[in-house]
Amino acid sequence: MKTRTFLAITAVSGLCAFPIHSQDLAVSGKVVDASGKPLQGVVVGLLAAHAADTTDAEGTFDFTGKSISLLKKFRNPGPGRYGGNRFLFETGAPAGIEGALLDAKGRAVPQEFRGGSRHVIALGNAWSDAMGGPGGPGGHAKVTAASGVTVNTAAAAAGDWLQAYKPGYAPSARQIPSYTGSHTLTLTASADPDFGPNVVVFDPAMPSAEMQARIDGIHAVQKAAQFGTDRFALLFKPGAYTLNVDVGYYTQALGLGALPDDVAITGSVRSVATTANNNVTIMFWRSAENMAVTPTVGGLDTWAVSQGAPFRRMHVKGSLGLSMGGWASGGFLADSKIDNQVQPGSQQQWYSRNSEWTAWSGGVWNMAFSGVVNPPAGTWPAKPFTVVAQTPVVREKPFLTVDKAGKYSVNVPALREASQGTSWSKGASGENLPVELFHIAHPDRDDAATINAALASGKHLILTPGIYHLAQSIQVLRAGTVVLGLGMPTLVPDNGTAALSIADVDGVKVAGLLIDAGPVESPVLLRIGEPQAGGASGPADHALNPTSLHDIFLRVGGPRAGSAAAAVIVDSKDVIGDHFWIWRADHGAGAKWDLNKGRNGLIVNGDRVAFYGLFVEHFQEYQTIWNGEAGRVHFYQSEMPYDPPTQADWQHAGVNGYASYKVADKVKTHEAWGLGVYCAFRAGPIQSDHGIEAPVAAGVHIRHAVSIWLNGVDGSGIGNVLNATGGAVTKTNTKATID
């Protein structure tokens, strides 16, 4: 007979630990080198348990007596309502834990799917949704065995991994059968760069089963870790693999070849729904890059994601699905070849740049294409397609490579003008910078001071996975500097500064960063160029060698309360933004009107600035303000803030609300293609008079824009799509467009 532990679990605002029972670890062991000699100073970690120890002079580590958190996560179901709580407990039950999720007053918490919200409960590597529905029996939760894992004190660790890391050695990892026992780990000396413990490098010579288990172990921890603290990069050396690479939160899967086909994976490289009803509206912060994949399940690879999840420089030798039938709010595809179809399915919107496929099979509201070979046919707004035949000027994202001699470098692609199709169709190109020219930063030993010293000495910068708390801004002052993030490294300014400041110089390249607002309000989180009097454009011309930024994601709130007056300010001329998601959190920690304060997402003062794939959401005034001349945007997706308490709190100069996209009245030339502005006002009958505001001028062109009423209170909506044109969206008329 199976026994079951039943728990009543209380969800309250904020982050807390509520010890029901605690479990002590009984894991110990030794780390040795290839000759059997003990190694001191090795950092040994337990992946799912989030425990760490350092070996002594005898090479030993010991987790005995340390307590772990097995029941570890709740998704926040709405702004400011329930926090992401952690609980400590053990269950002597041989299988299964089940319980009621209650609010602070002991009432059942219902499941809510509004805005993709849900409750997640995780035990070790098993996880479950809290069941129930609005107005009905709520909050029932059950966590049972996953993949044969028995959930009890003797075997709660099944699927967990011991990881050992020491500079100068290749990291080692071993899957353990339980949180008991003694283990010996062997580290082999390595001449590879020190990328830290959370960069996992795979080689075709490794056993496939071992690689698959490692990938699955990381995904088990990351698949529900929307606001978790772990970051990972999975790097694949050139060669052939038979693997299913599931990519979860804060995980980058990257091929290390000069060309995508140099890393050939038979199986899948995928992001799949880990939520009820195949809802992927919260599948954020992950990436797949520079690989070829031959899908083995129906010839279809799946990249079912929403914002902040790029799929770039990929070759899919089959078809690619972008959803799984549930709600989906993506997305970004660039520099990729899909041999057969792209199937967007239920994706509300998507942006594709410099790619090619045999066919594109549909769309919902806003599908935009720049420089794509064989884009879909159809006329807006009958079909939701915006096609720009060539991408005017772009540089592809820099990427890490390794050659046959084992030497690592960073490839920096050249600038392309009037381009169509992939950058790699005619072979490898770009400049390779040896990794020795880079300072490789680590979150446990680097801060803004050490990083700035390295940059001042002439080094480029690689940021390895982790969270970097900064006492001052990282300063990029030298022309041509490359800053490359691996595994979604996260910058947090703790003292109210910018996280990253880039001087008004030529040719800086920044890629693969997540920036979080800190506890002290910052005037700006990311600044490109130097402020000018009256918000004017920077004086220097950078048209021949512009600064470019790729896969840059910014948050105000979510993992923690934080504030920033503006997320991004661009003062320099000719800057290229290649995929930005700028987000004031609508859920998570501190997601409340008077807590995660953020006036504007993006302010562009520089002239001739271009953004390809721009997502800006939930800021408290204008989402985007464009002051510079000759600006260009290909694809824009924006949700207005959900949470203005009243109309009086959200108005200015006799105007209800704020437009999402604001082109300044003084601007003479501007063009934007494929814009979607959505509303979901939840506190009252809030109105925004305009989705977009732009001057009526011969040189200003807003093409193919749509307003959507997602949901909200009766009487809420957007008055017009652009200025006084396009008409209103309301509960009874949910969509309006302009050509």
Side-chain angles (χ1 to χ4, degrees):
M1 176 179 177
K2 292 183 178 180
T3 60
R4 179 173 290 154
T5 298
F6 191 86
L7 306 170
I9 302 163
T10 302
V12 297
S13 295
L15 183 68
C16 68
F18 185 90
I20 299 170
H21 295 288
S22 62
Q23 178 182 342
D24 291 336
L25 298 173
V27 179
S28 60
K30 178 180 287 190
V31 181
V32 298
D33 65 14
S35 68
K37 180 182 177 181
L39 287 174
Q40 185 176 10
V42 179
V43 177
V44 181
L46 280 165
L47 179 61
H50 291 88
D53 194 18
T54 303
T55 59
D56 59 19
E58 302 301 318
T60 61
F61 61 90
D62 192 353
F63 293 100
T64 302
K66 292 187 178 181
S67 176
I68 62 170
S69 171
L70 294 178
L71 183 58
K72 64 183 181 180
K73 177 163 183 164
F74 287 97
R75 257 275 295 146
N76 181 3
R81 297 190 61 190
Y82 307 104
N85 302 325
R86 284 181 174 271
F87 298 84
L88 306 176
F89 76 97
E90 69 175 320
T91 167
I97 289 178
E98 125 174 47
L101 181 60
L102 309 176
D103 67 15
K105 295 183 179 180
R107 299 170 299 192
V109 175
Q111 171 134 343
E112 299 182 24
F113 288 100
R114 182 177 62 194
S117 296
R118 67 189 185 94
H119 316 304
V120 173
I121 296 176
L123 170 65
N125 291 334
W127 64 280
S128 173
D129 287 326
M131 308 307 292
H140 184 263
K142 184 178 181 180
V143 184
T144 55
S147 304
V149 176
T150 300
V151 180
N152 59 31
T153 53
D160 206 348
W161 287 77
L162 272 173
Q163 302 181 125
Y165 162 73
K166 182 178 175 67
Y169 295 83
S172 177
R174 170 180 295 180
Q175 198 167 20
I176 58 175
S178 71
Y179 283 132
T180 62
S182 180
H183 307 272
T184 299
L185 298 172
T186 301
L187 294 185
T188 304
S190 174
D192 281 354
D194 175 15
F195 293 128
N198 284 15
V199 173
V200 183
V201 181
F202 297 104
D203 188 292
M206 296 177 179
S208 291
E210 179 182 311
M211 290 189 286
Q212 189 66 64
R214 187 78 174 104
I215 292 165
D216 291 347
I218 291 171
H219 184 252
V221 173
Q222 295 302 105
K223 67 182 180 181
Q226 182 183 177
F227 296 126
T229 57
D230 287 328
R231 308 286 186 266
F232 292 94
L234 311 180
L235 309 185
F236 296 85
K237 290 184 175 181
Y241 302 81
T242 300
L243 294 169
N244 290 311
V245 182
D246 285 319
V247 183
Y249 286 105
Y250 311 110
T251 303
Q252 176 189 31
L254 173 68
L256 292 175
L259 296 167
D261 288 341
D262 291 344
V263 174
I265 294 180
T266 299
S268 63
V269 177
R270 65 190 180 186
S271 174
V272 297
T274 56
T275 55
N277 298 333
N278 287 327
N279 178 357
V280 299
T281 57
I282 59 167
M283 298 292 102
F284 310 139
W285 305 307
R286 64 199 69 197
S287 68
E289 305 173 49
N290 199 33
M291 292 178 282
V293 55
T294 301
T296 54
V297 178
L300 179 72
D301 203 30
T302 299
W303 193 250
V305 297
S306 288
Q307 294 89 344
F311 192 85
R312 64 161 78 227
R313 198 176 170 86
M314 295 289 289
H315 183 190
V316 178
K317 298 182 176 182
S319 295
L320 178 65
L322 302 179
S323 71
M324 298 179 68
W327 294 344
S329 185
F332 182 88
L333 168 70
D335 203 24
S336 294
K337 180 180 180 182
I338 316 301
D339 286 353
N340 296 327
Q341 278 195 350
V342 179
Q343 301 171 12
S346 56
Q347 279 288 352
Q348 298 166 355
Q349 68 277 318
W350 195 274
Y351 178 61
S352 301
R353 181 184 59 68
N354 289 95
S355 296
E356 61 178 284
W357 45 69
T358 301
W360 178 281
S361 64
V364 180
W365 295 329
N366 183 25
M367 303 283 166
F369 309 86
S370 306
V372 164
V373 177
N374 201 22
T379 303
W380 177 277
K383 296 291 185 180
F385 303 141
T386 298
V387 177
V388 180
Q390 296 178 324
T391 304
V393 56
V394 74
R395 178 187 289 120
E396 297 298 339
K397 178 182 178 180
F399 58 95
L400 188 68
T401 68
V402 65
D403 65 16
K404 293 180 180 179
K407 298 295 185 181
Y408 283 79
S409 61
V410 172
N411 182 277
V412 181
L415 200 66
R416 294 202 292 164
E417 297 183 1
S419 61
Q420 188 179 60
T422 68
S423 66
W424 47 271
S425 60
K426 296 180 180 179
S429 60
E431 179 186 10
N432 285 320
L433 301 177
V435 76
E436 290 77 15
L437 299 178
F438 288 76
H439 173 70
I440 301 176
H442 300 264
D444 61 337
R445 63 187 102 141
D446 277 289
D447 56 17
T450 62
I451 290 170
N452 284 336
L455 290 170
S457 74
K459 290 281 192 178
H460 301 286
L461 177 64
I462 290 174
L463 291 157
T464 62
I467 298 175
Y468 296 76
H469 285 273
L470 306 174
Q472 57 184 298
S473 177
I474 294 174
Q475 301 279 341
V476 179
L477 305 175
R478 180 173 56 87
T481 300
V482 177
V483 177
L484 178 63
L486 295 178
M488 300 272 175
T490 303
L491 308 180
V492 184
D494 289 333
N495 296 329
T497 66
L500 178 64
S501 301
I502 301 169
D504 188 24
V505 296
D506 273 354
V508 173
K509 298 93 180 173
V510 180
L513 300 182
L514 176 58
I515 299 175
D516 276 341
V520 180
E521 182 174 309
S522 295
V524 62
L525 297 175
L526 168 61
R527 185 157 215 147
I528 304 107
E530 296 153 13
Q532 305 296 308
S537 176
D541 188 320
H542 304 292
L544 297 179
N545 189 12
T547 285
S548 60
L549 301 99
H550 315 261
D551 298 341
I552 305 297
F553 312 129
L554 301 101
R555 302 187 296 203
V556 179
R560 64 186 64 80
S563 295
V568 182
I569 298 177
V570 181
D571 292 308
S572 288
K573 290 178 179 175
D574 304 300
V575 171
I576 298 170
D578 179 33
H579 190 210
F580 272 57
W581 181 32
I582 306 170
W583 184 62
R584 176 182 166 263
D586 61 285
H587 61 270
K592 193 174 181 180
W593 185 256
D594 57 355
L595 291 181
N596 63 327
K597 295 180 180 179
R599 288 198 299 272
N600 308 115
L602 171 66
I603 301 173
V604 177
N605 298 320
D607 295 338
R608 299 190 302 271
V609 171
F611 275 83
Y612 303 106
L614 175 59
F615 304 73
V616 191
E617 300 188 291
H618 306 303
F619 285 82
Q620 293 171 301
E621 295 183 7
Y622 297 115
Q623 309 300 303
T624 298
I625 301 174
W626 209 288
N627 297 316
E629 289 289 350
R632 181 187 296 120
V633 171
H634 288 197
F635 181 85
Y636 180 75
Q637 185 265 329
S638 179
E639 290 182 1
M640 291 178 169
Y642 294 165
D643 56 341
T646 67
Q647 191 72 68
D649 292 300
W650 202 55
Q651 60 181 345
H652 69 289
V655 177
N656 288 323
Y658 292 82
S660 170
Y661 191 88
K662 171 67 174 177
V663 182
D665 295 344
K666 66 178 183 177
V667 170
K668 305 299 183 186
T669 58
H670 185 89
E671 65 176 54
W673 298 80
L675 298 88
V677 177
Y678 314 147
C679 71
F681 299 118
R682 295 175 175 173
I686 307 297
Q687 285 282 331
S688 179
D689 286 346
H690 313 111
I692 303 165
E693 293 178 1
V696 178
V700 176
H701 304 283
I702 307 294
R703 300 298 308 275
H704 297 186
V706 58
S707 293
I708 299 289
W709 188 92
L710 292 172
N711 56 39
V713 172
D714 286 358
S716 66
I718 301 173
N720 272 293
V721 179
L722 168 65
N723 298 334
T725 64
V729 291
T730 64
K731 184 177 181 179
T732 57
N733 181 49
T734 60
K735 180 181 177 182
T737 63
I738 62 163
D739 290 342

